[in-house]
């Protein structure tokens, strides 16, 4: 909001997108409530530079000028927690289930079912849902479609999931790492470029049936991964998820078989050829996350970059020396480190535009400084008695 109001405090105009009109299914039918997603414009009718949806549209236009359409599917994860006696969210999980467990262990099954039914009634295509690895953790997957629609769907998804959870007496959180010692929540993004109806990532005549466009796109993603991390992982807490031992990717590499690198190429080919970017988390602004990752991939295509060799073994078991010899870098380990990389990445800056780039950088630098100066409970527990 800071980036919307501080310059001249000017009025803005909402331009509703009629295609986003939908009725909330959980409201009484005789008192229905509908929603429209809007683009932000200046009073003179020009698109406002600080609108994230406009930023994504601008990069989609760049892709179209190169002959590409952009489709994305998303896999957001979230936790369901109990409320305390005052009705406030706790970090007490509602079950002790694990990956793909069913009821009675998965006590969130009914809540998750209601979420899926409401999302589908609102026109959001859901491909699957299941219990995730951590206790109280769930995943509902959004089927791939055009990028602007997927970004709208992710924004709506978070609102619907939290609303339905509340009706079940639970709190849904998209905080990336709410509990120490358990897996955090990610939001894997499945991305592919299309030329008309033809998947531009697929070439049956090439090795592994991956086109040169696909390989260059992967190269661009890897090249700018550190630069766009502040957007795809925007919270201080995001970097508590990106640590070894919890399945989250921390190394900048790619593979068709290995699930530990940043980018995985699923086995499907033909129209479903795609890459899976595994680092983003569900706290990210979906419009900005898709804008910067698409821009990174297009940079690889424009420059005809080739990705490094695939890494088909568990990178976490490699020594630091071995990783260095293979040229495998690591994602930022904190928001502060991510902001340093973000500030230096010109391609990411161009993707956001100067207005969003500047305000985002300023806001996150303030957030990091506030956090850095705090005295945290761990410090008190660790040092107070000893020193």
């Amino acid at each position: 909001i800071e980036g919307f109001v501080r310059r001249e405090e000017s009025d803005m105009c909402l331009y509703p997108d009629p295609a986003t009109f939908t009725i909330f299914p959980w409201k009484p039918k005789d008192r229905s409530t509908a929603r429209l997603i809007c683009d932000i414009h200046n009073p003179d009718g020009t698109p406002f530079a600080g609108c994230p949806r406009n930023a994504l549209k601008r990069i989609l236009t760049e892709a179209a000028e190169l002959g590409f359409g952009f489709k994305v599917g998303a896999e957001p994860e979230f936790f369901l927690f109990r409320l305390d006696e005052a009705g406030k969210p706790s970090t007490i999980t509602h079950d002790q289930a694990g990956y793909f467990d069913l009821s009675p262990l998965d006590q969130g099954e009914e809540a998750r079912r209601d979420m899926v039914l409401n999302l589908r009634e609102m026109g959001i295509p859901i491909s699957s849902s299941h219990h995730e690895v951590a206790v109280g953790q769930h995943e509902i997957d959004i089927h791939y479609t055009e990028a602007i629609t997927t970004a709208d769907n992710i924004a709506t998804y978070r609102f619907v999931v939290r609303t339905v959870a509340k009706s079940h007496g639970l709190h849904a959180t998209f905080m990336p790492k709410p509990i120490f010692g358990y897996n955090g929540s990610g939001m894997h993004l499945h991305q592919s470029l299309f030329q008309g109806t033809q998947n531009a990532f697929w070439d049956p005549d090439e090795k592994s049936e991956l086109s040169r466009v696909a390989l260059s796109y992967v190269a661009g993603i890897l090249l700018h991964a550190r630069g766009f991390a502040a957007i795809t992982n925007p919270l201080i807490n995001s970097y508590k998820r990106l640590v070894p031992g919890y399945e989250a990717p921390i190394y900048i590499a790619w593979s068709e078989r290995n699930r530990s690198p940043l980018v995985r190429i699923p086995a499907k080919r033909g129209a479903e050829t795609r890459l899976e970017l595994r680092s983003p988390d569900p706290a990210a602004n979906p419009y900005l996350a898709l804008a910067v990752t698409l821009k990174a991939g297009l940079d690889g295509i424009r420059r005809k970059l080739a990705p490094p060799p695939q890494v088909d073994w568990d990178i976490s078991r490699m020594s630091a020396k071995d990783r260095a010899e293979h040229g495998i870098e690591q994602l930022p380990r904190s928001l502060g480190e991510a902001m340093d990389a973000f500030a230096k990445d010109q391609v990411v800056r161009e993707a956001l535009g100067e207005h969003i780039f500047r305000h985002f950088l300023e806001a996150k630098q303030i957030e990091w400084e506030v956090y850095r100066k705090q005295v945290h409970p761990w410090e008190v527990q660790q040092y107070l008695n000893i020193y």
Side-chain angles (χ1 to χ4, degrees):
I1 298 299
E2 179 87 11
F4 281 73
V5 300
R6 290 298 170 229
R7 190 175 63 180
E8 289 98 37
E9 303 289 338
S10 60
D11 291 333
M12 296 290 175
C13 298
L14 293 172
Y15 278 40
D17 181 346
T20 66
F21 179 90
T22 186
I23 295 172
F24 294 142
W26 57 86
K27 295 288 187 180
K29 299 302 181 185
D30 60 338
R31 298 188 302 277
S32 295
T33 301
R35 78 95 205 266
L36 280 163
I37 294 178
C38 302
D39 296 312
I40 313 299
H41 285 240
N42 298 309
D44 64 2
T46 57
F48 174 50
C51 174
R53 202 167 188 260
N54 285 336
L56 175 55
K57 285 184 173 182
R58 181 167 47 80
I59 308 305
L60 290 172
T61 299
E62 286 188 25
E65 290 171 351
L66 293 174
F68 299 116
F70 185 43
K71 291 189 177 184
V72 183
E75 299 178 349
E77 298 169 344
F78 58 92
F79 279 84
L80 290 176
F81 290 130
R82 298 188 185 278
L83 303 176
D84 64 17
E85 294 179 356
K88 294 182 179 180
S90 73
T91 54
I92 300 172
T93 62
H94 67 299
D95 68 29
Q96 293 298 313
Y99 197 48
F100 275 94
D101 275 342
L102 306 174
S103 60
L105 284 175
D106 177 8
Q107 296 180 22
E109 197 170 79
E110 285 302 311
R112 202 170 63 242
R113 177 178 178 273
D114 285 350
M115 293 167 187
V116 170
L117 292 174
N118 278 279
L119 288 165
R120 283 180 170 166
E121 195 167 339
M122 293 180 70
I124 297 176
I126 301 300
S127 57
S128 64
S129 75
H130 59 87
H131 198 287
E132 256 296 338
V133 173
V135 294
Q137 187 183 37
H138 303 267
E139 176 178 312
I140 300 174
D141 298 335
I142 300 171
H143 193 66
Y144 83 97
T145 187
E146 285 74 16
I148 197 72
T149 301
T150 294
D152 289 342
N153 287 344
I154 293 170
T156 303
Y157 172 106
R158 294 190 295 207
F159 171 73
V160 172
V161 165
R162 289 168 69 90
T163 299
V164 174
K166 189 175 181 181
S167 72
H168 283 262
L170 298 166
H171 175 72
T173 180
F174 294 96
M175 181 178 176
K177 184 82 168 186
I179 311 177
F180 171 73
Y182 289 95
N183 285 25
S185 292
M187 184 174 68
H188 299 176
L189 296 175
H190 292 253
Q191 305 185 351
S192 54
L193 296 179
F194 277 76
Q195 292 176 308
T197 60
Q198 179 67 39
N199 189 316
F201 283 0
W202 180 52
D203 186 341
D205 297 325
E206 291 287 345
K207 182 181 178 181
S208 298
E209 299 186 24
L210 293 176
S211 69
R212 294 181 182 181
V213 167
L215 296 176
S216 290
Y217 191 97
V218 169
I221 291 287
L222 299 180
L223 179 64
H224 297 287
R226 287 179 56 82
F228 63 60
I231 298 294
T232 55
N233 307 85
L235 306 183
I236 286 166
N237 181 255
S238 296
Y239 299 87
K240 306 294 176 71
R241 167 182 167 255
L242 297 176
V243 294
Y246 296 96
E247 298 187 10
I250 61 175
Y251 300 111
I252 302 173
W254 74 291
S255 175
E256 294 179 63
R257 297 191 296 272
N258 187 1
R259 287 180 178 265
S260 65
L262 177 77
V263 172
R264 183 177 77 94
I265 308 296
K268 285 289 187 83
R269 291 295 183 265
E272 296 185 60
T273 308
R274 64 194 186 274
L275 67 81
E276 179 186 18
L277 179 61
R278 302 178 60 253
S279 60
D281 66 52
N285 181 308
Y287 304 98
L288 299 185
L290 295 186
V292 296
T293 53
L294 174 58
K295 182 77 172 181
L298 293 179
D299 183 53
I301 292 171
R302 283 194 177 101
R303 296 166 59 185
K304 298 182 179 179
L305 300 179
Q310 295 187 50
V311 179
D312 293 331
W313 54 89
D314 189 349
I315 304 175
S316 64
R317 295 179 180 273
M318 297 173 65
S319 67
K321 181 181 178 182
D322 287 340
R323 289 195 296 270
E325 289 177 353
H326 285 83
I328 300 173
E329 291 188 90
Q330 186 170 336
L331 288 171
R333 289 168 290 185
S334 68
L335 181 62
E337 187 179 335
M339 295 312 299
D340 290 340
F342 173 78
K344 297 173 184 175
D345 196 308
Q346 190 61 34
V347 168
V348 173
R349 185 172 191 155
E350 290 173 2
L352 300 176
E354 196 61 29
H355 183 98
I356 294 177
F357 174 84
R358 187 175 69 253
H359 282 89
F360 184 88
L361 183 62
E362 290 173 356
K364 289 299 171 180
Q365 285 174 334
I366 292 170
E367 185 177 348
W368 176 247
E369 280 303 303
V370 170
Y371 172 78
R372 195 178 63 82
K373 295 173 184 176
Q374 298 293 316
V375 177
H376 300 279
W378 181 90
E379 297 174 82
V380 176
Q381 182 181 4
Q382 187 78 5
Y383 302 128
L384 186 64
N385 189 49
I386 299 174
Y387 297 100

